[in-house]
Amino acid sequence: MKKERTYWQLALSLLLVLTMLLSACGGAEEPTEAPPEPVAPTEEPAAPEATAAPEVEAPTEAPAEEPAAQQVLTYAYPRTISTLDPSLVLSSENNILWNVWGNLTLWDPDEGVVPMIAESWESNEDATVWTFHLPEGIKCHDGSDFTAEDVKFSWERTIEAGALAYVFAMVDTIEVIDPQTVQINLSYPYRMDANAANSWGPYLMCKNVADKPPEWFSAGNENGVGPYKIESFEPGQRLVLTEFEDWFGEWPEGHFTKVVFEIVKDPAVRAQKLRSGEADIAW
């Protein structure tokens, strides 16, 4: 029995091995037809969906500079302003008008005579001929150019008006040498550079006011060459000056951009305004 079982086991093993060999030798059957050729697509494949680029914030503009705060001076002024005609002023209006019309020179307590509109000047040996030189680019308040012709017109107008002619008693003739040069010929020696700094009389006007009557000036109209313009005038109440933006001179830091002259005749009220802060300065 043992031999017979062994024989069958051996025969069965050989059969299994033979089956495996036949399977390996046979392999897959060759195809009877060639595989179909690939067909070209009738439509182009869709492009991959674009992804949105990340948003980039535009650089923000620098904030605009705020206009500098105005520096306002309020002056409690004691007197009625009677006239604003620069050829006729004989009273306290001179505290106002030289800021508006301008002079060739100014008087400085430390330095003496210093430039205002004129940039330089000289005289002959006996001080009877004075020559004043103007810088280029000086503007009248209406935007026109200020020249030596305007100096000649201004002083001759005031001499002709008569009220302040005594300020020019030494003047013989006024000559325009060129647009930036005016020559003053005197009948006797005099410090004309100091006289040109007078607080009334030698104010400078632009010659296009030649046909204006005193009433035009007294209504608050002007065309000067000084650092301030008349912004408004309410007779008996107030006069307001504002800086002339085309002023050719150099403004000091912290200068007043606006000056308000409040007419306050009562000295007790002026003092009260000063104490309360309603006024910065009082007469």
Side-chain angles (χ1 to χ4, degrees):
M1 283 297 293
K2 184 175 180 180
K3 289 182 179 180
E4 186 176 345
R5 186 167 53 249
T6 302
Y7 172 78
W8 284 109
Q9 287 176 343
L10 179 59
L12 182 60
S13 297
L14 290 172
L15 180 63
L16 289 172
V17 170
L18 180 62
T19 302
M20 292 174 66
L21 290 172
L22 288 174
S23 297
C25 292
E29 293 184 359
E30 291 184 3
T32 57
E33 296 181 2
E37 295 182 359
V39 180
T42 57
E43 296 182 0
E44 293 183 4
E49 185 177 349
T51 57
E55 293 185 1
V56 178
E57 294 185 2
T60 57
E61 295 182 359
E65 291 185 5
E66 295 184 0
Q70 288 197 330
Q71 299 288 332
V72 181
L73 174 73
T74 301
Y75 191 163
Y77 202 69
R79 300 177 181 176
T80 298
I81 297 171
S82 58
T83 182
L84 292 172
D85 187 325
S87 294
L88 301 177
V89 168
L90 289 165
S91 188
S92 58
E93 292 89 352
N94 67 332
N95 295 303
I96 300 170
L97 292 191
W98 72 266
N99 289 285
V100 174
W101 297 100
N103 288 8
L104 285 178
T105 60
L106 289 177
W107 175 262
D108 183 275
D110 298 320
E111 300 181 38
V113 181
V114 297
M116 184 175 186
I117 304 301
E119 65 179 356
S120 63
W121 54 88
E122 68 271 352
S123 72
N124 62 355
E125 290 185 5
D126 65 357
T128 58
V129 178
W130 288 81
T131 305
F132 292 89
H133 305 279
L134 309 177
E136 295 185 358
I138 300 178
K139 296 294 183 182
C140 299
H141 291 173
D142 68 351
S144 60
D145 294 326
F146 182 85
T147 69
E149 290 282 358
D150 296 288
V151 178
K152 176 180 171 66
F153 158 74
S154 300
W155 288 10
E156 288 183 344
R157 179 183 188 270
T158 299
I159 292 170
E160 185 178 352
L164 292 160
Y166 67 89
V167 175
F168 301 96
M170 73 296 296
V171 174
D172 184 17
T173 60
I174 303 173
E175 298 180 48
V176 173
I177 307 302
D178 60 49
Q180 268 65 55
T181 311
V182 60
Q183 179 177 296
I184 316 299
N185 303 306
L186 309 183
S187 56
Y188 53 84
Y190 204 83
R191 281 289 305 277
M192 202 62 200
D193 59 337
N195 199 45
N198 203 318
S199 58
W200 58 72
Y203 295 135
L204 302 174
M205 295 161 264
C206 299
K207 59 182 178 293
N208 55 12
V209 304
D211 61 342
K212 306 299 182 185
E215 293 78 17
W216 182 85
F217 295 91
S218 293
N221 299 302
E222 52 91 0
N223 192 22
V225 70
Y228 289 91
K229 301 188 301 183
I230 295 178
E231 180 181 288
S232 62
F233 178 48
E234 301 169 62
Q237 297 184 57
R238 71 185 52 82
L239 181 143
V240 180
L241 304 182
T242 186
E243 67 174 327
F244 177 41
E245 293 183 356
D246 288 330
W247 165 246
F248 75 98
E250 293 185 6
W251 288 103
E253 185 177 356
H255 72 277
F256 297 116
T257 58
K258 190 182 293 286
V259 182
V260 181
F261 292 86
E262 292 282 357
I263 309 302
V264 185
K265 294 184 177 181
D266 189 328
V269 176
R270 292 199 301 274
Q272 177 58 35
K273 285 182 174 291
L274 199 58
R275 287 192 292 267
S276 68
E278 293 179 75
D280 302 296
I281 187 172
W283 189 304

